[in-house]
Structures are given as structure tokens and as C-alpha cells.
Amino acid sequence: VFARDPDIVLLVSYADETHGHSGGLYRAASWEDDGVVPPDYWYVDQDGWVTRKQALYHQAVRLSTTEAEFAEQRGLVKVWGREKHRFVLRRR
């Protein structure tokens, strides 16, 4: 990527423990471990349909209600993921 675009000086990627990724691939490829991102959440309905928290929040605001009230009215459950490991690769 760096060879194709000289304007790129830094790449950032994440390994999400929610999906069983711990960053071994990035470490093996000499990416720098740049820290941990705290766990985040999303909403799931009874059929397993996932809704991002941002989308739900914006719908709630449009209807003059809170995120929690909007989710409860629609039978959505808040699901917490696990932390993510942030990795960076810098142009040398």
C-alpha cells in the first residue's frame, strides 16, 4: 500500500476479541501494538438482526426519546462485545 500511494504514512487496524481475534497476524507482520480499545455495544432483536448503536440513537433522537426507551419499545437487547486491540503500521 505504501508503495502505491506515497501520501499514506500510517495504517490502523483492529483485532476484535469479540470475534476471536487477538492480533497474532498483525504481530507476525511487524505491526506495532498501539493499545486496547474499550468494549462497545450494539443491539439485537429476537430474530438476531443487529442494529448499530449509532443508528438506533439517531432514530431515537428523531422520535424525541432516549436510546434505551427506543430499544425497549422494540424489544431490542443491548449486547456488549469484548475489547479490541489497535495495531499501526508506519511508513519507514
Side-chain angles (χ1 to χ4, degrees):
V1 173
F2 293 130
R4 286 184 282 170
D5 191 336
D7 293 331
I8 295 174
V9 296
L10 177 75
L11 297 173
V12 179
S13 190
Y14 298 87
D16 190 342
E17 287 193 3
T18 304
H19 302 286
H21 302 282
S22 62
L25 179 67
Y26 295 112
R27 287 183 192 91
S30 299
W31 287 58
E32 295 174 45
D33 192 335
D34 192 48
V36 175
V37 177
D40 206 357
Y41 65 91
W42 55 90
Y43 290 91
V44 179
D45 71 10
Q46 61 221 25
D47 296 325
W49 186 260
V50 175
T51 301
R52 294 178 314 121
K53 67 179 182 179
Q54 294 88 348
L56 191 135
Y57 171 80
H58 290 298
Q59 291 174 1
V61 167
R62 235 185 340 230
L63 296 173
S64 301
T65 188
T66 68
E67 179 181 312
E69 291 169 338
F70 185 86
E72 185 178 342
Q73 291 166 359
R74 283 153 183 79
L76 301 174
V77 177
K78 184 187 277 189
V79 177
W80 282 90
R82 297 179 64 192
E83 62 187 17
K84 296 178 182 115
H85 300 270
R86 184 177 48 239
F87 292 88
V88 297
L89 183 64
R90 300 175 198 281
R91 179 184 292 278
R92 296 180 198 239

